[in-house]
Amino acid sequence: MKTLAFLLVLLINSSTLLAQEYALVRENGKFGFIDKTGAYVIEPQFDKADSFSDGRAAALQDDKWGYIDISGKFVIQPEYDRVKMFNSGLALVLKDDQWRYIDTSGKELKTPASEKYYDFEEGVALFRSGEKIGLLGTDGQLILEPTYDAIKKFRNGHAKVSKGELWGMINTSGKVVIPVEYEEIGNTYKEAGVYGKKDGTFGIIHNGSFNPIDNADKVYNFHGDSKLTYASRTKKTGFVNSKGEWVLEPKYDKARAFSLGLAPVAIGKKWGYINEKGEMVIEPQFRDAEVFSTNGFAPVKDKAWGFINTSGKVIIPMEYGISGNFAFLKGSEEKGFVNGLARVKSKKGWGYFNEQGQLLGDKWFQNAEPFVSVK
């Protein structure tokens, strides 16, 4: 029994370590890092810094950039003029007017020469040769020869690509998953489908088929694991499924995606929330409203922003600003609450609220970035 208890404690402690999250904050003009209790784990000491990625955070010392580890010590010495965040174990750094990739130990990755270098994301980086774009792997070798006129941001392992005026989609191995034959295409690959436009008609691309939507003049990306997405017809918005069928007829002035079975919709200038049957479950009363995060909270606005739960109860009063377009994390679809905390701005500065509506550490900062995993 003692052995079992010891193993359980070890497992819990290991999980805690793996789940560590730090946030970059600025206080008295210096940058440092806090944990999710609000306590400093790296005291404010840097003139400039960036959030952690792949266990490293960029920091400025004596006008040169390097990278620190979670103890706050430089593990890649400050010798660079500019640096980017790590992704897929690699980061772009600028030294002697030359961009190059380094790994988390500072070792340089050998790659083919290029006129321009791009950040890695989801295990690949764009590679340009002349006017064409291909894909570079984390081993420094080309995965895809420069073939396309454009390759956009990878999301869920897929990216939209273009040849001439037409668009399709590839995966991170460079394989075509949607043929390049659409006038428009969504930028997010979901199991429920991707919207597209072909021969002037909007529809949903699903399981290799293009399913036209009757008279749609705009369609939006599927969100999360929802089987419905929103679309507009003659200045009204409704919801369609993967087959391109109108499940909820377009009668709303505006709408956003379903999450947790609820979607924000506007009637006139007031926003409320409907369920997937089209029943209004939170009456229109807000000047603006966003989708629910996975923890069951949504940003809503009167004169300023606050948060409600799925019952419509205000958890955090509508007294705050929230960062631009809710773009808390690069590539993240979460808006508002991220991993149990919401970042907000008041006249006192930036801070974080938890799900109980309490200000983390009862403290405001000059700047505050999202919490990110450091393991």
Side-chain angles (χ1 to χ4, degrees), residues 148-173:
Y148 295 101
D149 295 322
I151 302 177
K152 298 299 185 179
K153 181 179 176 62
F154 275 88
R155 304 168 189 266
N156 301 328
H158 298 77
K160 58 189 289 187
V161 297
S162 72
K163 287 184 178 181
E165 300 296 320
L166 297 180
W167 293 88
M169 190 166 280
I170 61 172
N171 61 20
T172 52
S173 67

Side-chain angles (χ1 to χ4, degrees), residues 2 20 47 78 86-87 99 112 122 132 160-161 165 193 205 224 240 245 248 262 336 344 358 369:
K2 289 183 178 179
Q20 279 184 306
D47 293 328
F86 276 94
N87 187 303
W99 285 101
E122 299 197 19
K132 299 296 182 181
K160 58 189 289 187
V161 297
E165 300 296 320
I205 308 160
V240 298
E245 301 166 333
L248 298 176
L262 297 173
V344 303
Q358 300 163 331
E369 293 298 318

Side-chain angles (χ1 to χ4, degrees), residues 220-240:
Y220 297 83
N221 293 313
F222 283 90
H223 177 84
D225 59 1
S226 176
K227 304 303 181 186
L228 300 177
T229 191
Y230 54 113
S232 62
R233 182 177 69 191
T234 59
K235 298 183 179 180
K236 294 290 183 179
T237 304
F239 292 84
V240 298

Side-chain angles (χ1 to χ4, degrees), residues 56-179:
R56 301 285 183 261
L60 186 70
Q61 183 180 80
D62 298 329
D63 292 325
K64 293 290 184 180
W65 287 92
Y67 293 89
I68 61 172
D69 63 12
I70 60 174
S71 72
K73 296 179 180 178
F74 278 99
V75 290
I76 299 176
Q77 293 304 309
E79 57 180 296
Y80 301 107
D81 299 311
R82 291 176 62 189
V83 296
K84 301 289 193 72
M85 293 178 69
F86 276 94
N87 187 303
S88 310
L90 295 164
L92 273 172
V93 295
L94 180 67
K95 184 179 180 180
D96 301 327
D97 293 323
Q98 177 64 49
W99 285 101
R100 65 200 75 187
Y101 296 102
I102 60 171
D103 65 17
T104 54
S105 70
K107 181 181 177 182
E108 184 177 343
L109 177 72
K110 300 298 183 182
T111 66
S114 178
E115 301 167 9
K116 184 176 182 179
Y117 291 87
Y118 298 83
D119 293 320
F120 273 86
E121 54 185 27
E122 299 197 19
V124 295
L126 303 187
F127 182 83
R128 176 179 289 278
S129 179
E131 298 299 318
K132 299 296 182 181
I133 298 287
L135 295 178
L136 187 70
T138 54
D139 61 356
Q141 302 298 310
L142 287 177
I143 294 173
L144 174 68
E145 291 289 338
T147 306
Y148 295 101
D149 295 322
I151 302 177
K152 298 299 185 179
K153 181 179 176 62
F154 275 88
R155 304 168 189 266
N156 301 328
H158 298 77
K160 58 189 289 187
V161 297
S162 72
K163 287 184 178 181
E165 300 296 320
L166 297 180
W167 293 88
M169 190 166 280
I170 61 172
N171 61 20
T172 52
S173 67
K175 180 182 177 181
V176 175
V177 292
I178 297 176

Side-chain angles (χ1 to χ4, degrees), residues 352-370:
Y352 309 87
F353 277 103
N354 64 21
E355 295 175 0
Q356 289 72 48
Q358 300 163 331
L359 180 65
L360 182 67
D362 195 28
K363 193 170 185 178
W364 298 96
F365 302 94
Q366 287 175 286
N367 296 90
E369 293 298 318

Side-chain angles (χ1 to χ4, degrees), residues 254-290:
K254 292 181 181 179
R256 295 193 173 108
F258 272 100
S259 177
L260 304 183
L262 297 173
V265 296
I267 298 177
K269 295 184 178 180
K270 295 293 184 180
W271 287 80
Y273 290 82
I274 60 171
N275 61 22
E276 292 176 346
K277 296 179 181 178
E279 299 166 335
M280 190 70 70
V281 293
I282 299 175
E283 290 298 319
Q285 58 194 282
F286 307 109
R287 289 176 58 189
D288 204 349
E290 270 289 347

